[in-house]
Amino acid sequence: MAPYEEYIEMIKSLWTTHRLTNMGEYHNRLEKELQSYLEVPKVSLTVNGHMALELSLQAFNFSPGSEVITTPFSFISTTHAIIRNHLKPVFCDIKETDYTIDENKIEDLVTERTVAIVPVHIFGNICNVEKIEKIACKYNLKVIYDAAHAFGETYKGIGVGNFGNASIFSFHATKVFNTIEGGAVCAPDAAMYEKLYNLKNFGIRGEELIVSIGTNAKMNEFSAAMGLCNLRYFKQEVEKRKQISEKYIEILAEQKGILVKNFLNPEVNYNYGYFPILIDEEEFGRTRDDVYDLLKQNNIFSRKYFYPLIVDQACFKNMFRDLSLPVARSISKHILALPLYGTLTESHLQRICHTLKK
Ligand SMILES: *Cc1c(COP(=O)(O)O)cnc(C)c1O
């Protein structure tokens, strides 16, 4: 996070201009800065990552009831965005290697009703974008990437916001780059940008002109100012997280029963947002849930990312319970995300690893 003084200095002028929101100076500046930072044609800022995804889907005007192929191994937002657009999520299993959607299982799920694929670059692991694009071309599908975990990453030197027909980022407080709450859509062209502009601002195009039906999903000036400040420290934050991650790997790699397979793709410039490990209960002698509880008793707060699977959540009753998703179910049961943030000290890291081993 940027220093307090820097942020305070930045928001001072808002008390003079009284321009607190509605595409103010900071909003517009952040859009421009992100466009060049992420090397994407267009960035549309939103109030949060979820609305970025919901509006991206809405922008394509899919007919209600159409099917969207997606992953069950993600934050609930991914599926909610599909359903809230009156579309039907069709869940595809994931890969054991990097937990992203299994591109070899997508085609089997395509029907005449399929209109889009919503893959997730989970934990900053980049999906097989080449194969997904091929499938999308073959069946004339749109691809909207949930890139909430992949801010600032590149794949083969290309900014990840460039893949698919749109990509969304989340700038929630818990993400590597934050605007307190916030998000963005990377749009391939001005037409998509304009659609999103209308969707996020009630379709208002003039004091007496509403051109389309829309919601309110704008980013305010305080969030945009936070973004402008935090962007200056993003590289630094990633570098610190990289060092911490490497230390984790060094200490945990030799531990029996703990499987670490993070940051393995040499084509990806990672942002080191998450540090998931897999616990093999047979070899480790404890289940993932045991480990979670024991860490918690020692004031170490890990996360069961992502458990339960989206398809098993209470809100869906038993709608998706019988789906065959063996890999996603197994990963979900064995995965645990360890604490990872730039200010995590060496001694805290040692204590986490020591407690784990004990
Ligand atoms: C954080 C997140 C979102 C939603 O972003 P918000 O800014 O919290 O609305 C969507 N998808 C994934 C994978 C996320 O981690």
Side-chain angles (χ1 to χ4, degrees), residues 241-258:
R241 284 165 176 257
K242 180 170 190 257
Q243 281 166 20
I244 295 161
S245 302
E246 281 165 358
K247 198 91 209 174
Y248 262 139
I249 291 171
E250 188 188 313
I251 301 173
L252 296 177
E254 70 228 38
Q255 179 65 43
K256 261 184 82 168
I258 292 183

PDB file of all heavy atoms in Angstrom, residues 241-258:
ATOM      1  N   ARG A 241       6.774  -9.925  -2.748  1.00  0.00           N
ATOM      2  CA  ARG A 241       6.017 -11.175  -2.715  1.00  0.00           C
ATOM      3  C   ARG A 241       6.771 -12.294  -3.421  1.00  0.00           C
ATOM      4  O   ARG A 241       6.679 -13.462  -3.026  1.00  0.00           O
ATOM      5  CB  ARG A 241       4.663 -10.981  -3.402  1.00  0.00           C
ATOM      6  CG  ARG A 241       3.669 -10.213  -2.563  1.00  0.00           C
ATOM      7  CD  ARG A 241       2.509  -9.752  -3.414  1.00  0.00           C
ATOM      8  NE  ARG A 241       1.487  -9.093  -2.627  1.00  0.00           N
ATOM      9  CZ  ARG A 241       0.341  -9.673  -2.266  1.00  0.00           C
ATOM     10  NH1 ARG A 241       0.061 -10.900  -2.647  1.00  0.00           N
ATOM     11  NH2 ARG A 241      -0.535  -9.024  -1.536  1.00  0.00           N
ATOM     12  N   LYS A 242       7.512 -11.928  -4.448  1.00  0.00           N
ATOM     13  CA  LYS A 242       8.299 -12.927  -5.178  1.00  0.00           C
ATOM     14  C   LYS A 242       9.362 -13.515  -4.249  1.00  0.00           C
ATOM     15  O   LYS A 242       9.538 -14.730  -4.183  1.00  0.00           O
ATOM     16  CB  LYS A 242       8.956 -12.262  -6.390  1.00  0.00           C
ATOM     17  CG  LYS A 242       9.807 -13.179  -7.225  1.00  0.00           C
ATOM     18  CD  LYS A 242      10.206 -12.497  -8.534  1.00  0.00           C
ATOM     19  CE  LYS A 242      10.850 -13.481  -9.478  1.00  0.00           C
ATOM     20  NZ  LYS A 242      12.291 -13.377  -9.554  1.00  0.00           N
ATOM     21  N   GLN A 243      10.032 -12.638  -3.517  1.00  0.00           N
ATOM     22  CA  GLN A 243      11.074 -13.109  -2.599  1.00  0.00           C
ATOM     23  C   GLN A 243      10.495 -14.002  -1.512  1.00  0.00           C
ATOM     24  O   GLN A 243      11.068 -15.047  -1.181  1.00  0.00           O
ATOM     25  CB  GLN A 243      11.797 -11.914  -1.978  1.00  0.00           C
ATOM     26  CG  GLN A 243      12.821 -11.301  -2.925  1.00  0.00           C
ATOM     27  CD  GLN A 243      13.297  -9.926  -2.484  1.00  0.00           C
ATOM     28  OE1 GLN A 243      13.155  -9.572  -1.316  1.00  0.00           O
ATOM     29  NE2 GLN A 243      13.839  -9.166  -3.411  1.00  0.00           N
ATOM     30  N   ILE A 244       9.340 -13.591  -0.976  1.00  0.00           N
ATOM     31  CA  ILE A 244       8.690 -14.399   0.064  1.00  0.00           C
ATOM     32  C   ILE A 244       8.268 -15.753  -0.505  1.00  0.00           C
ATOM     33  O   ILE A 244       8.466 -16.793   0.116  1.00  0.00           O
ATOM     34  CB  ILE A 244       7.471 -13.638   0.653  1.00  0.00           C
ATOM     35  CG1 ILE A 244       7.948 -12.379   1.382  1.00  0.00           C
ATOM     36  CG2 ILE A 244       6.669 -14.525   1.585  1.00  0.00           C
ATOM     37  CD1 ILE A 244       6.870 -11.335   1.601  1.00  0.00           C
ATOM     38  N   SER A 245       7.718 -15.729  -1.724  1.00  0.00           N
ATOM     39  CA  SER A 245       7.283 -16.975  -2.360  1.00  0.00           C
ATOM     40  C   SER A 245       8.454 -17.919  -2.569  1.00  0.00           C
ATOM     41  O   SER A 245       8.346 -19.137  -2.344  1.00  0.00           O
ATOM     42  CB  SER A 245       6.637 -16.680  -3.714  1.00  0.00           C
ATOM     43  OG  SER A 245       5.558 -15.809  -3.556  1.00  0.00           O
ATOM     44  N   GLU A 246       9.582 -17.359  -2.985  1.00  0.00           N
ATOM     45  CA  GLU A 246      10.759 -18.202  -3.227  1.00  0.00           C
ATOM     46  C   GLU A 246      11.262 -18.829  -1.929  1.00  0.00           C
ATOM     47  O   GLU A 246      11.712 -19.966  -1.899  1.00  0.00           O
ATOM     48  CB  GLU A 246      11.851 -17.387  -3.924  1.00  0.00           C
ATOM     49  CG  GLU A 246      11.558 -17.256  -5.422  1.00  0.00           C
ATOM     50  CD  GLU A 246      12.369 -16.189  -6.131  1.00  0.00           C
ATOM     51  OE1 GLU A 246      13.163 -15.490  -5.471  1.00  0.00           O
ATOM     52  OE2 GLU A 246      12.185 -16.061  -7.362  1.00  0.00           O
ATOM     53  N   LYS A 247      11.165 -18.065  -0.859  1.00  0.00           N
ATOM     54  CA  LYS A 247      11.551 -18.576   0.462  1.00  0.00           C
ATOM     55  C   LYS A 247      10.623 -19.726   0.869  1.00  0.00           C
ATOM     56  O   LYS A 247      11.073 -20.769   1.349  1.00  0.00           O
ATOM     57  CB  LYS A 247      11.476 -17.425   1.474  1.00  0.00           C
ATOM     58  CG  LYS A 247      12.223 -17.670   2.740  1.00  0.00           C
ATOM     59  CD  LYS A 247      13.636 -17.154   2.639  1.00  0.00           C
ATOM     60  CE  LYS A 247      14.534 -17.986   3.546  1.00  0.00           C
ATOM     61  NZ  LYS A 247      15.945 -17.637   3.394  1.00  0.00           N
ATOM     62  N   TYR A 248       9.322 -19.502   0.691  1.00  0.00           N
ATOM     63  CA  TYR A 248       8.334 -20.562   0.981  1.00  0.00           C
ATOM     64  C   TYR A 248       8.709 -21.836   0.221  1.00  0.00           C
ATOM     65  O   TYR A 248       8.744 -22.926   0.785  1.00  0.00           O
ATOM     66  CB  TYR A 248       6.946 -20.131   0.518  1.00  0.00           C
ATOM     67  CG  TYR A 248       6.014 -19.544   1.567  1.00  0.00           C
ATOM     68  CD1 TYR A 248       5.217 -18.450   1.251  1.00  0.00           C
ATOM     69  CD2 TYR A 248       5.874 -20.109   2.830  1.00  0.00           C
ATOM     70  CE1 TYR A 248       4.322 -17.901   2.167  1.00  0.00           C
ATOM     71  CE2 TYR A 248       4.983 -19.573   3.757  1.00  0.00           C
ATOM     72  CZ  TYR A 248       4.212 -18.469   3.429  1.00  0.00           C
ATOM     73  OH  TYR A 248       3.318 -17.944   4.332  1.00  0.00           O
ATOM     74  N   ILE A 249       8.966 -21.666  -1.078  1.00  0.00           N
ATOM     75  CA  ILE A 249       9.256 -22.825  -1.925  1.00  0.00           C
ATOM     76  C   ILE A 249      10.500 -23.549  -1.419  1.00  0.00           C
ATOM     77  O   ILE A 249      10.522 -24.774  -1.281  1.00  0.00           O
ATOM     78  CB  ILE A 249       9.420 -22.392  -3.402  1.00  0.00           C
ATOM     79  CG1 ILE A 249       8.065 -21.940  -3.967  1.00  0.00           C
ATOM     80  CG2 ILE A 249       9.996 -23.522  -4.258  1.00  0.00           C
ATOM     81  CD1 ILE A 249       8.113 -21.282  -5.342  1.00  0.00           C
ATOM     82  N   GLU A 250      11.527 -22.755  -1.090  1.00  0.00           N
ATOM     83  CA  GLU A 250      12.786 -23.316  -0.606  1.00  0.00           C
ATOM     84  C   GLU A 250      12.565 -24.160   0.653  1.00  0.00           C
ATOM     85  O   GLU A 250      13.084 -25.276   0.772  1.00  0.00           O
ATOM     86  CB  GLU A 250      13.720 -22.137  -0.304  1.00  0.00           C
ATOM     87  CG  GLU A 250      15.143 -22.482   0.040  1.00  0.00           C
ATOM     88  CD  GLU A 250      15.874 -21.215   0.516  1.00  0.00           C
ATOM     89  OE1 GLU A 250      15.757 -20.165  -0.156  1.00  0.00           O
ATOM     90  OE2 GLU A 250      16.508 -21.280   1.579  1.00  0.00           O
ATOM     91  N   ILE A 251      11.768 -23.659   1.575  1.00  0.00           N
ATOM     92  CA  ILE A 251      11.572 -24.363   2.850  1.00  0.00           C
ATOM     93  C   ILE A 251      10.594 -25.524   2.714  1.00  0.00           C
ATOM     94  O   ILE A 251      10.783 -26.587   3.298  1.00  0.00           O
ATOM     95  CB  ILE A 251      11.064 -23.390   3.943  1.00  0.00           C
ATOM     96  CG1 ILE A 251      12.059 -22.247   4.138  1.00  0.00           C
ATOM     97  CG2 ILE A 251      10.832 -24.126   5.257  1.00  0.00           C
ATOM     98  CD1 ILE A 251      11.573 -21.154   5.068  1.00  0.00           C
ATOM     99  N   LEU A 252       9.531 -25.329   1.917  1.00  0.00           N
ATOM    100  CA  LEU A 252       8.467 -26.337   1.879  1.00  0.00           C
ATOM    101  C   LEU A 252       8.664 -27.418   0.827  1.00  0.00           C
ATOM    102  O   LEU A 252       8.037 -28.477   0.905  1.00  0.00           O
ATOM    103  CB  LEU A 252       7.112 -25.651   1.659  1.00  0.00           C
ATOM    104  CG  LEU A 252       6.654 -24.701   2.771  1.00  0.00           C
ATOM    105  CD1 LEU A 252       5.335 -24.037   2.393  1.00  0.00           C
ATOM    106  CD2 LEU A 252       6.514 -25.437   4.110  1.00  0.00           C
ATOM    107  N   ALA A 253       9.544 -27.151  -0.135  1.00  0.00           N
ATOM    108  CA  ALA A 253       9.703 -28.093  -1.255  1.00  0.00           C
ATOM    109  C   ALA A 253      10.072 -29.492  -0.789  1.00  0.00           C
ATOM    110  O   ALA A 253       9.594 -30.478  -1.343  1.00  0.00           O
ATOM    111  CB  ALA A 253      10.744 -27.566  -2.231  1.00  0.00           C
ATOM    112  N   GLU A 254      10.892 -29.569   0.244  1.00  0.00           N
ATOM    113  CA  GLU A 254      11.365 -30.900   0.667  1.00  0.00           C
ATOM    114  C   GLU A 254      10.446 -31.571   1.685  1.00  0.00           C
ATOM    115  O   GLU A 254      10.672 -32.698   2.098  1.00  0.00           O
ATOM    116  CB  GLU A 254      12.788 -30.777   1.242  1.00  0.00           C
ATOM    117  CG  GLU A 254      12.841 -30.073   2.568  1.00  0.00           C
ATOM    118  CD  GLU A 254      13.924 -28.996   2.616  1.00  0.00           C
ATOM    119  OE1 GLU A 254      14.125 -28.308   1.600  1.00  0.00           O
ATOM    120  OE2 GLU A 254      14.557 -28.861   3.660  1.00  0.00           O
ATOM    121  N   GLN A 255       9.386 -30.855   2.102  1.00  0.00           N
ATOM    122  CA  GLN A 255       8.483 -31.391   3.123  1.00  0.00           C
ATOM    123  C   GLN A 255       7.584 -32.477   2.532  1.00  0.00           C
ATOM    124  O   GLN A 255       6.835 -32.227   1.593  1.00  0.00           O
ATOM    125  CB  GLN A 255       7.632 -30.248   3.704  1.00  0.00           C
ATOM    126  CG  GLN A 255       6.623 -30.677   4.756  1.00  0.00           C
ATOM    127  CD  GLN A 255       7.273 -31.227   6.020  1.00  0.00           C
ATOM    128  OE1 GLN A 255       8.249 -30.674   6.515  1.00  0.00           O
ATOM    129  NE2 GLN A 255       6.749 -32.338   6.522  1.00  0.00           N
ATOM    130  N   LYS A 256       7.659 -33.662   3.096  1.00  0.00           N
ATOM    131  CA  LYS A 256       6.814 -34.762   2.616  1.00  0.00           C
ATOM    132  C   LYS A 256       5.337 -34.463   2.860  1.00  0.00           C
ATOM    133  O   LYS A 256       4.977 -34.004   3.938  1.00  0.00           O
ATOM    134  CB  LYS A 256       7.183 -36.062   3.346  1.00  0.00           C
ATOM    135  CG  LYS A 256       8.113 -36.959   2.523  1.00  0.00           C
ATOM    136  CD  LYS A 256       8.370 -38.275   3.221  1.00  0.00           C
ATOM    137  CE  LYS A 256       7.226 -39.257   2.985  1.00  0.00           C
ATOM    138  NZ  LYS A 256       7.567 -40.621   3.404  1.00  0.00           N
ATOM    139  N   GLY A 257       4.525 -34.687   1.844  1.00  0.00           N
ATOM    140  CA  GLY A 257       3.082 -34.497   2.010  1.00  0.00           C
ATOM    141  C   GLY A 257       2.596 -33.107   1.659  1.00  0.00           C
ATOM    142  O   GLY A 257       1.402 -32.856   1.618  1.00  0.00           O
ATOM    143  N   ILE A 258       3.547 -32.196   1.440  1.00  0.00           N
ATOM    144  CA  ILE A 258       3.161 -30.853   0.976  1.00  0.00           C
ATOM    145  C   ILE A 258       3.617 -30.699  -0.467  1.00  0.00           C
ATOM    146  O   ILE A 258       4.791 -30.907  -0.772  1.00  0.00           O
ATOM    147  CB  ILE A 258       3.786 -29.738   1.840  1.00  0.00           C
ATOM    148  CG1 ILE A 258       3.179 -29.764   3.242  1.00  0.00           C
ATOM    149  CG2 ILE A 258       3.559 -28.364   1.193  1.00  0.00           C
ATOM    150  CD1 ILE A 258       3.686 -28.663   4.153  1.00  0.00           C
TER     151      ILE A 258
END
